[in-house]
Amino acid sequence: MKQEKALVVFSGGQDSTTCLFWAKKEFREVEAVTFNYGQRHAAELDCAKEIAEDLNVSHHTLDMSLLNQLAPSALTRKDEAITHEEGELPSTFVPGRNLLFLSFAGVLAKQIGAKHIITGVCETDFSGYPDCRDIFVKSLNVSLNLSMDAQFVIHTPLMWIDKAQTWEMADRLGVLDYIRENTLTCYNGVKGDGCGECPACELRQRGLNQYLLKKQGGEE
C-alpha cells in the first residue's frame, strides 16, 4: 500500500481525521473528498477544508444537495430536534448517505487513479446506523467493483474499535491533541471538545476520558 494512492471520505470530524492521518502513514499519496449535502452546520465544510490545507492534502468538495431534498433528518434540518428513541433510528440518521458518499467516492477515485477508499464508519460506538455496518461496506465494495470494472478496496480502520480505542489510535499516530483541538464532531457545530451536551459530544468525551484514564494507569 505504501506505493499506492488513496481517497479518504472526509468530514473534518474525529473519526475521518483519524482515518486521514492513518491513510497518510499507509499510502504513498492521499486525497480527501467532502460532501456538501446541506448539513446542519456549514462549519463542518470549513473545518474539513482547513484541516486538508493544513496537512497539504488535495481536497475535493462535491455538491450532494439532492440528498438534503430526499432525506430530511436532524442533520439536514435545523428545525428538527436531535432525538433517539429506544428501538428506533436516531433522528440524525440520513437515509442513503453512506451509500451515496461511497458510490461517488468510487467515481472520483476512478478519475484520480486511487484504488483505495477509506471511510471512518464503525459498528462498535455507533448509533445503529445501518450504513455503518461492515456487511454494508463489503457489499458496496463488491458492487462498486462490478459497476466500474475496477478493483477498489474500501478500508474501515475504525470498524471494530470503540471511541476510546480511536483516541488511542490518534495518540499512536502522534496527533491526539491535533484531533482534539481541530476537528468538529459536535451536532451543534462547536469545534474541538464541542458543546458537551449533544450525543456526538457525549460519545466523543466519554471515549476520551476512558482512554486518558487507561493511559494514566499504564504510566503509573
Side-chain angles (χ1 to χ4, degrees):
M1 296 196 301
K2 293 287 188 182
Q3 302 305 315
E4 297 182 334
K5 187 173 183 178
L7 178 66
V8 178
V9 177
F10 186 55
S11 69
Q14 175 193 358
D15 293 342
S16 66
T17 305
T18 302
C19 286
L20 183 60
F21 277 106
W22 176 85
K24 282 174 66 66
K25 181 181 178 183
E26 296 293 331
F27 296 93
R28 171 183 58 82
E29 184 179 355
V30 177
E31 298 191 18
V33 59
T34 300
F35 298 96
N36 181 356
Y37 61 100
Q39 47 266 69
R40 194 178 181 103
H41 298 286
E44 179 180 304
L45 301 171
D46 296 333
C47 184
K49 181 181 178 182
E50 289 167 6
I51 292 172
E53 288 179 351
D54 192 35
L55 301 184
N56 196 29
V57 170
S58 180
H59 183 227
H60 310 264
T61 301
L62 300 185
D63 179 9
M64 294 289 289
S65 54
L66 179 61
L67 182 58
N68 188 298
Q69 299 174 40
L70 291 173
S73 152
L75 282 192
T76 59
R77 301 288 189 275
K78 290 185 179 180
D79 56 350
E80 283 202 23
I82 297 171
T83 60
H84 190 181
E85 302 297 331
E86 188 173 350
E88 298 182 4
L89 286 169
S91 63
T92 50
F93 175 60
V94 183
R97 181 173 62 165
N98 285 338
L99 171 65
L100 292 174
F101 284 5
L102 288 170
S103 296
F104 277 83
V107 176
L108 177 59
K110 182 83 168 176
Q111 303 309 309
I112 65 173
K115 175 183 175 183
H116 301 271
I117 301 169
I118 295 93
T119 177
V121 298
C122 88
E123 270 198 37
T124 308
D125 271 345
F126 78 137
S127 300
Y129 295 173
D131 59 358
C132 288
R133 296 177 298 175
D134 184 61
I135 191 172
F136 160 72
V137 175
K138 283 184 166 58
S139 172
L140 185 61
N141 200 155
V142 172
S143 297
L144 278 179
N145 290 350
L146 291 172
S147 71
M148 286 184 274
D149 194 21
Q151 293 297 319
F152 296 121
V153 180
I154 300 179
H155 299 266
T156 53
L158 312 183
M159 180 58 75
W160 305 114
I161 65 176
D162 60 21
K163 274 291 180 287
Q165 292 168 312
T166 302
W167 283 112
E168 183 177 4
M169 179 188 288
D171 204 9
R172 287 200 310 268
L173 291 167
V175 295
L176 187 147
D177 289 340
Y178 184 94
I179 287 175
R180 183 173 181 180
E181 295 167 7
N182 294 286
T183 60
L184 197 163
T185 304
C186 176
Y187 287 153
N188 291 313
V190 182
K191 203 171 178 179
D193 288 336
C195 70
E197 299 176 355
C198 73
C201 284
E202 290 177 354
L203 182 62
R204 172 176 163 139
Q205 190 62 45
R206 185 164 61 247
L208 179 60
N209 292 343
Q210 289 171 351
Y211 171 61
L212 293 178
L213 190 62
K214 175 188 172 184
K215 183 180 179 181
Q216 184 180 23
E219 292 174 346
E220 291 177 351

